[in-house]
Amino acid sequence: MPQLFPALETAGHAPALRFGDRSLDYAELRAAASATAVRLAGAGRVALWATPTLESAVGAVAALVAGVPLVPVNPGSGARELAHVVADSAPELVLAAPGVELPEAFAGLPVVHPDLTPEGPLPDLPEEPGDEAPALVIYTSGTTGPPKGAVLPRRAIRATLDSLAEAWQWTGDDVLVHGLPLFHVHGLVLGVLGPLRRGGSLRHLGRFSPEGVREELAGGATVLFGVPTMYHRLAEALPADPALGKALAGARLLVSGSAALSRRDHEAITGATGQQVVERYGMTETLMNTSVRPGGPPQPGSVGTPLDGVELRLVDDGGRPVEAGDGETLGEIQVKGPNLFTEYLGRPDATEAAFDQGWFRTGDMATQDADGSVRIVGRRSTDLIKSGGYKIGAGEIENVLLEHPAVADAAVTGEPDPDLGEAVVAWIVPRDPAAPPSAQELADHVAGQLAPYKRPRTVRLREALPRNDMGKIMKKALRD
Ligand code: MCA
Ligand code: AMP
């Protein structure tokens, strides 16, 4: 019996995955995943060119069924970021939909196209590895340097999905809709593996739009997942689209995560639909930590209480636990539990620094109410930006900007933005003040090396950047 996805054996012709007008039921998914798994068997790690397609979802299930660690790759990655991910994770082959032209970074690697309609006898599902075996390596940005690969064991996936099922009464009857990318935890682990573990189904929008959400919720979907930018866009669309309001009102559950949903958007959606958006709090390294429980009183601004099996504490600057529960005392969130990653791939130094005697340091600052509810109020580091739900490290962008021939000095900060939560701002000292680089030129430069979502949305030119005695740029002074 497949351990992570028992429904592959038991759910027969119940619907499993739908992307656009193509879909697979569980029997078809089992056939496609096992036929693909056979071709992955024995590989050390495999990369997935994670376009939002049925092939990507099948490829991910195949790797998990084969017990081969999967490295989902953003198909929008720029040259430098891609070269880093490929060199760092050293995949032995690449899973990609047929017809995709893979970039140079994958040259020489065998390509496996997930076969959605395999012919011939169905291979047996392979023996799955133990719970601690690595399942996924997901790249996540830090304050400095290139992204690190968080190694997630099978145990973490199982633990997080089962604790969410309990918190949300998430069952095989649920039909999930979302338009999230498949190279991060939110869209892949929660959004694809989640429904499949429950024996329910996913309808992926390909690309998020309020119209797509309206159609699917009106047509039988019961649960919506999204980042706050998506809920903001729904809130903006509601006044002119009563059918969208009706569709949202009819959903069983609306869940937001990856960044904070503003009180204003919470209230706009509740006001127009009577529905409360449930927030949950997670991280690439920890999968899900807390969630608001549906059905309780409205709690805008709260990410709820710890999920089953998760221990959570707040610590002061010296790492000492603080007496929380008064709704005011601030501390950094540390967590422990079966939902945690095991290590950063090939980075024992970074892994060690991430833990405090077995507690993972999240870097998120929060208060806790008397009932244990957590309110996130900020981040320890000003060098991490959350834009559209994507985590972006300022240092990585600064390094790329500094390589632009027209840039003498550069700093990157995040600035509040009603749509993206935070927007990336580049502070630039041009080499030649009479001929500064254009904002478009710098955005294209960053988008080409990293990914379009990391590009600066605003460029501010300065004669010099404020630095302290140590030579470090004083970002607070910049923003003030
Ligand atoms: C624009 N584009 C460019 C350039 N400028 N391409 C190349 N060079 C340029 N200079 C392209 C983009 O690639 C994109 O192309 C299109 O223009 C629009 O870009 P953008 O404005 O960035 O997109 P958007 O439509 O505003 O996206 C908003 C979004 C997106 C849909 C909400 O931000 C999104 O999908 N966010 C999800 C993030 C997420 O899943 N985070 C989870 C992390 P194209 O047409 O190709 O798209 S996991 C996590 O945080 C934890 C675990 C948790 O708690 O969940
Ligand atoms: P990532 O590294 O992309 O996995 O992003 C993880 C970070 O997203 C967390 O450390 C938080 O800062 C943020 N985050 C996730 N969910 C929420 C939420 N519901 N409210 C506020 N911040 C969140």
Side-chain angles (χ1 to χ4, degrees):
M1 176 69 82
Q3 300 149 17
L4 280 175
F5 308 113
L8 287 179
E9 292 287 14
T10 59
H13 294 293
L17 298 169
R18 199 175 86 192
F19 285 71
D21 54 7
R22 298 190 308 149
S23 60
L24 293 177
D25 66 25
Y26 273 91
E28 291 165 331
L29 176 60
R30 186 205 184 283
S34 54
T36 307
V38 169
R39 295 159 69 198
L40 309 180
R45 269 189 289 276
V46 300
L48 173 71
W49 189 246
T51 51
T53 56
L54 203 46
E55 280 82 1
S56 295
V58 168
V61 174
L64 286 159
V65 161
V68 173
L70 181 81
V71 188
V73 178
N74 176 1
S77 301
R80 162 142 3 160
E81 190 166 355
L82 190 58
H84 165 72
V85 168
V86 173
D88 196 64
S89 63
E92 288 176 27
L93 54 87
V94 195
L95 281 157
V100 166
E101 204 174 311
L102 289 170
E104 190 53 33
F106 291 114
L109 285 183
V111 182
V112 170
H113 302 302
D115 186 355
L116 303 189
T117 50
E119 284 174 8
L122 200 61
D124 285 339
L125 292 171
E127 179 96 8
E128 290 185 34
D131 232 17
E132 291 304 313
L136 297 170
V137 180
I138 300 196
Y139 279 80
T140 182
S141 292
T143 50
T144 55
K148 302 185 287 285
V151 179
L152 293 157
R154 303 167 76 84
R155 173 253 304 151
I157 295 175
R158 180 179 48 70
T160 230
L161 294 178
D162 292 354
S163 66
L164 289 177
E166 196 216 55
W168 298 340
Q169 290 105 51
W170 186 4
T171 71
D173 292 333
D174 278 309
V175 179
L176 172 67
V177 57
H178 69 80
L180 293 156
L182 302 191
F183 45 85
H184 277 313
V185 163
H186 195 165
L188 180 63
V189 179
L190 273 59
V192 175
L193 308 183
L196 296 181
R197 179 151 175 87
R198 300 275 72 82
S201 69
L202 161 68
R203 297 185 193 167
H204 195 282
L205 296 173
R207 187 184 189 102
F208 170 83
S209 70
E211 299 72 38
V213 169
R214 180 187 65 207
E215 256 169 55
E216 292 303 342
L217 287 178
T222 61
V223 177
L224 171 67
F225 287 175
V227 295
T229 300
M230 295 171 179
Y231 283 100
H232 176 74
R233 292 179 185 181
L234 290 170
E236 296 272 286
L238 274 169
D241 188 349
L244 174 62
K246 205 165 154 225
L248 288 168
R252 185 182 80 74
L253 182 64
L254 309 176
V255 186
S256 173
S258 302
L261 182 64
S262 72
R263 180 176 286 268
R264 196 187 153 128
D265 289 332
H266 264 291
E267 287 171 356
I269 291 170
T270 304
T273 68
Q275 285 271 15
Q276 279 161 40
V277 180
V278 163
E279 281 200 73
R280 94 293 179 287
Y281 158 61
M283 262 185 104
T284 302
E285 292 89 333
T286 67
L287 302 185
M288 295 304 117
N289 296 311
T290 70
S291 180
V292 170
R293 304 303 190 271
Q299 298 187 43
S302 165
V303 294
T305 50
L307 292 164
D308 195 31
V310 178
E311 290 178 73
L312 182 147
R313 68 180 191 182
L314 302 184
V315 300
D316 65 17
D317 284 347
R320 288 172 297 265
V322 300
E323 272 305 321
D326 58 3
E328 281 179 19
T329 309
L330 195 63
E332 179 186 350
I333 302 174
Q334 294 191 338
V335 288
K336 232 185 208 182
N339 51 316
L340 263 56
F341 77 140
T342 40
E343 59 172 341
Y344 293 115
L345 189 67
R347 294 289 308 274
D349 53 334
T351 306
E352 203 194 320
F355 286 92
D356 173 4
Q357 294 171 350
W359 292 88
F360 177 74
R361 310 168 198 262
T362 65
D364 291 310
M365 302 298 294
T367 62
Q368 233 175 339
D369 294 343
D371 68 353
S373 287
V374 175
R375 286 175 189 274
I376 297 176
V377 297
R379 262 185 310 275
R380 187 171 273 290
S381 171
T382 51
D383 283 333
L384 286 176
I385 300 161
K386 265 267 159 164
S387 187
Y390 288 114
K391 184 189 261 185
I392 301 175
E396 194 188 3
I397 303 178
E398 287 161 0
N399 289 338
V400 168
L401 287 170
L402 284 168
E403 284 172 15
H404 191 282
V407 172
D409 202 359
V412 165
T413 60
E415 181 170 279
D417 181 277
D419 182 45
L420 296 171
E422 285 181 286
V424 174
V425 178
W427 306 79
I428 299 292
V429 180
R431 225 169 254 296
D432 177 0
S438 72
Q440 187 62 51
E441 198 181 338
L442 294 174
D444 292 346
H445 175 65
V446 172
Q449 292 299 317
L450 302 176
Y453 73 80
K454 296 184 179 177
R455 72 191 188 275
R457 308 285 174 135
T458 303
V459 171
R460 302 223 168 91
L461 300 175
R462 290 290 178 273
E463 283 173 14
L465 300 178
R467 290 183 184 270
N468 65 15
D469 295 343
M470 313 283 286
K472 201 170 170 306
I473 297 170
M474 297 189 293
K475 296 202 172 171
K476 274 214 161 71
L478 259 182
R479 286 183 302 191
D480 295 343

